[in-house]
Every structure is written in C-alpha cells, then in structure tokens.
C-alpha cells in the first residue's frame, strides 16, 4: 500500500476538552481471530464524555475514540468465520464467546474483555475505537454480530451499546420484581435521565409490557421525546415527584415499583432511592465517574427492603435478543444528529 492508503481519518483524544479529526495509521494485516471493519456508522456515547471532560482519567493521548460502531468486514485473520463483505455491528466491549462468562450471558465480564476507544496511559494497553474509517476487532467472531438484512447500520450502532444498555436496565428491574407477584402492566417505573440510554430504557420497558413509565429530566426536548415514546414526562422541581411525597404521584400511592438510573450522577441515583417504594428496585447502568460515594447506607436499604441492581451491560450477550425487538420499535428516532465524522470536535463540545 502507498503511504496514503496506509492512513485513515479518525477522531483522537488529545486532552480534556480536546479531540481532533486527523490522519492516523490504518489497521492492516489482521492477526489470528481478528477482523478489520470498515466503519459505516458510529456514535458518540455519554461515557465518551466522561474522559473528554476529564471526569474519568487515564486515557492515553492520541487514542482513537468511540466504542459504538457498525460497518462492513474488510479483512479477516486466520480462524475467523465472518467473511469480508458481511455487514456487522460491534459490541462496545470485546467478547471471546467461549469463557464461562460469555457462555452464561455476561459478556461484559468476559475473561479478555476490553473497551473500544480506551488505551491506558500508564501501560499503553487497550484498543483504539470506532470513530474512524477502519477499526481492528480482536476476537471478531465473539465481538461482532452479523446484521440481518432488515437492520440498518444506524440501528446496528444502537444495538451494540445504548439500546442494549437501556434494555438491560429495564429487564433487570422487572426480573428483580418477579417475586412481588406483579405483572409488568401493573408496575409503575421511573426513568431518571432521558438521554439516549434513558429513552431506550423507556422503549424497552414499554415493549416488556410496562404501561406506566415516568420520565424525569431537566431538558425539555428530551422530555418531549419521552412523551412521544409513551412516558409521563416530569421535570425535577415541577411536581411532588422530586420530594419525599413522591409516592403520591404514582398510580398506586405507594411509590415507584422500580427506578431506573441511567445518568451516572450521584444526584440521579439519590433521587432513585427517594422515589422507589419499600420492596422496590433501583436499577442503575450509569457510569459513575465521580468520588462522591454512594447516596444511601446499607442500613437504609435494609430498612426499605430495596433491591439494588447495577453493572456494565453484557451487550454482546443481548444483541440477538435486542436486534429482534427492533421490528417493534422505531429506535432510530432517538438519534438527534447525523453528521460527518469531521465535525466530531463540535459534537463533543455540544453534547
């Protein structure tokens, strides 16, 4: 290849509040188990913003950003079953597909798990991300999923992270409530934070049969979209939902059966514990890149019999299940901007 062919455009991290669109070396010559994917669509995740704003430290300078991407297999290494030309979506973390955790639907804790778009500044270990023209994917057969013909690249981006994460948050809450002898249509849920993951949690809860979902956010445009998705939209401070009298705002009068936290904020998690009823569930998937600690004590949880669920979404384990749900919901309507990769600096600043 010529020097020009060995380079590609990508978004790279420079320092807090600074990313640049520039030429970087193009990944070539996939090793055993690897694939090179030509990226067709990629996304900007809220967790990308943690390192961009300096809240999450340790990202090496010049790391290619991003962990949400879908595209076409360009090349494959020895032993890879996927073939060049296949349309694929990537999980935001790698998955071998063979370890105990992968076989038990917890791909986010795979024995070799790595996050795309994160290279540690201390030891240089990690993976470049998907906000680029091409990306190297290790453990390709376990990490990538072939896209059905009726699933777009945009939808593939959502399936690999935020839709799976919103679904995981809602599903964990309903699963934890199974001992309460309640049907989903009897439950009342609150979703705290109506960014993309929160909106996906609303969509998922509704698809899982929950009829009454409250959406809580300070941004009116997000609340407007939550309403269109079937939620009851509330801005904190505008109603009793943000006070100790929150129970009076629910249909039952006893409080929310589950509160879903998708922000990664101390205040959002604290609000969830105020909203949930005794015996209810707080399901949290927000990335808490702060040092404020936990908003309640074990004793407080004990006194209210509250179940707390948390953790990184096992996206690769859920992708086939979530992909099948796309036929029931127009998930792509949550996308707010469709822009060229070259506008990344502006988009990071605007997020």
């Amino acid at each position: 290849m010529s020097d020009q062919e060995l380079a590609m455009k990508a978004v790279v991290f420079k320092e807090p509040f600074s990313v640049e669109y520039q030429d970087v070396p193009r990944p070539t010559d996939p090793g055993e188990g690897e694939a090179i994917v030509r990226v067709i669509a990629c996304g900007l995740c809220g967790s990308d913003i943690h390192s961009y704003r300096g809240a999450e430290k340790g990202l090496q300078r010049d790391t290619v950003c991003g962990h949400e991407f879908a595209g076409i297999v360009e090349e494959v290494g020895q032993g890879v079953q996927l073939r060049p030309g296949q349309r694929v979506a990537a999980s935001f973390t790698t998955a071998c597909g063979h370890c105990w955790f992968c076989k038990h639907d917890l791909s986010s804790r795979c024995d070799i798990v790595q996050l795309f778009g994160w290279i540690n500044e201390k030891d240089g270990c990690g993976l470049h991300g998907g906000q680029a023209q091409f990306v190297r994917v290790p453990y390709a057969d376990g990490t990538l999923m072939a896209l059905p013909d009726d699933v777009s690249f945009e939808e593939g981006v959502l399936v690999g992270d935020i839709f799976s994460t919103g679904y995981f948050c809602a599903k964990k809450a309903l699963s934890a409530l199974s001992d309460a002898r309640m049907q989903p249509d009897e439950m009342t849920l609150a979703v705290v934070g109506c960014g993309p993951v929160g909106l996906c949690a609303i969509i998922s809860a509704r698809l899982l049969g929950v009829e009454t979902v409250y959406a809580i956010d300070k941004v009116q445009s997000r609340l407007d979209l939550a309403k269109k998705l079937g939620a009851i939209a509330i801005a904190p401070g505008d109603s009793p939902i943000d006070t100790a009298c929150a129970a009076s705002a629910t249909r039952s009068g006893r409080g929310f059966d589950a509160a879903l936290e998708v922000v990664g904020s101390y205040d959002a998690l604290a609000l969830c514990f105020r909203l949930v009823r005794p015996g209810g569930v707080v399901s949290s998937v927000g990335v808490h890149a702060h040092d404020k600690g936990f908003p309640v004590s074990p004793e407080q949880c004990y006194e209210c019999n509250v179940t707390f669920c948390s953790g990184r979404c096992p996206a690769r384990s859920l992708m086939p299940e979530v992909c099948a749900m796309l036929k029931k919901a127009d998930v792509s309507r949550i996308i707010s901007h469709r822009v060229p990769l070259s506008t990344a600096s502006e988009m990071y600043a605007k997020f």
Side-chain angles (χ1 to χ4, degrees), residues 243-264:
T243 72
C245 299
S248 66
T250 66
R251 180 178 60 181
S252 66
R254 63 179 170 263
F256 289 95
D257 298 301
L260 280 52
E261 187 276 317
V262 295
V263 181

Side-chain angles (χ1 to χ4, degrees), residues 44-263:
L44 174 56
C45 180
S47 56
D48 293 326
I49 301 301
H50 290 311
S51 52
Y52 172 74
R53 293 176 178 168
E56 190 169 8
K57 305 183 186 305
L59 180 60
Q60 181 173 283
R61 182 182 175 88
D62 290 330
T63 297
V64 177
C65 301
H67 52 256
E68 301 178 346
F69 62 95
I72 298 172
V73 176
E74 187 81 0
E75 302 176 69
V76 297
Q78 183 179 352
V80 177
Q81 295 181 12
L82 290 165
R83 306 317 307 162
Q86 279 191 276
R87 302 167 65 253
V88 292
S91 165
F92 67 96
T93 57
T94 59
C96 71
H98 304 295
C99 71
W100 188 93
F101 294 101
C102 284
K103 288 182 177 179
H104 289 80
D105 296 331
L106 195 59
S107 58
S108 54
R109 296 300 157 204
C110 173
D111 287 344
I112 51 82
V113 69
Q114 294 185 85
L115 174 68
F116 284 102
W118 184 270
I119 296 178
N120 193 301
E121 65 178 357
K122 291 184 178 180
D123 57 18
C125 293
L127 296 176
H128 286 297
Q131 292 174 6
Q133 291 178 299
F134 296 89
V135 60
R136 182 185 302 275
V137 179
Y139 304 95
D141 287 328
T143 302
L144 300 171
M145 185 187 76
L147 287 176
D149 292 340
D150 59 350
V151 175
S152 69
F153 288 115
E154 279 189 357
E155 291 171 324
V157 171
L158 300 178
V159 164
D161 186 358
I162 64 169
F163 189 27
S164 290
T165 300
Y167 176 71
F168 175 67
C169 189
K171 185 178 181 180
K172 289 289 285 184
L174 269 63
S175 177
L177 286 168
S178 61
D179 289 341
R181 293 183 294 179
M182 298 178 70
Q183 296 301 313
D185 61 358
E186 300 176 279
M187 299 174 185
T188 301
L189 270 58
V191 176
V192 178
C194 296
V197 176
L199 294 171
C200 287
I202 292 170
I203 293 171
S204 299
R206 300 277 292 166
L207 289 175
L208 291 169
V210 180
E211 294 182 356
T212 308
V213 180
Y214 284 77
I216 304 172
D217 202 288
K218 297 178 180 179
V219 180
Q220 189 59 49
S221 59
R222 292 178 173 182
L223 292 176
D224 292 341
L225 184 49
K227 284 182 183 179
K228 293 178 181 178
L229 296 173
I232 301 167
I234 301 288
D238 289 351
S239 82
I241 205 166
D242 194 32
T243 72
C245 299
S248 66
T250 66
R251 180 178 60 181
S252 66
R254 63 179 170 263
F256 289 95
D257 298 301
L260 280 52
E261 187 276 317
V262 295
V263 181

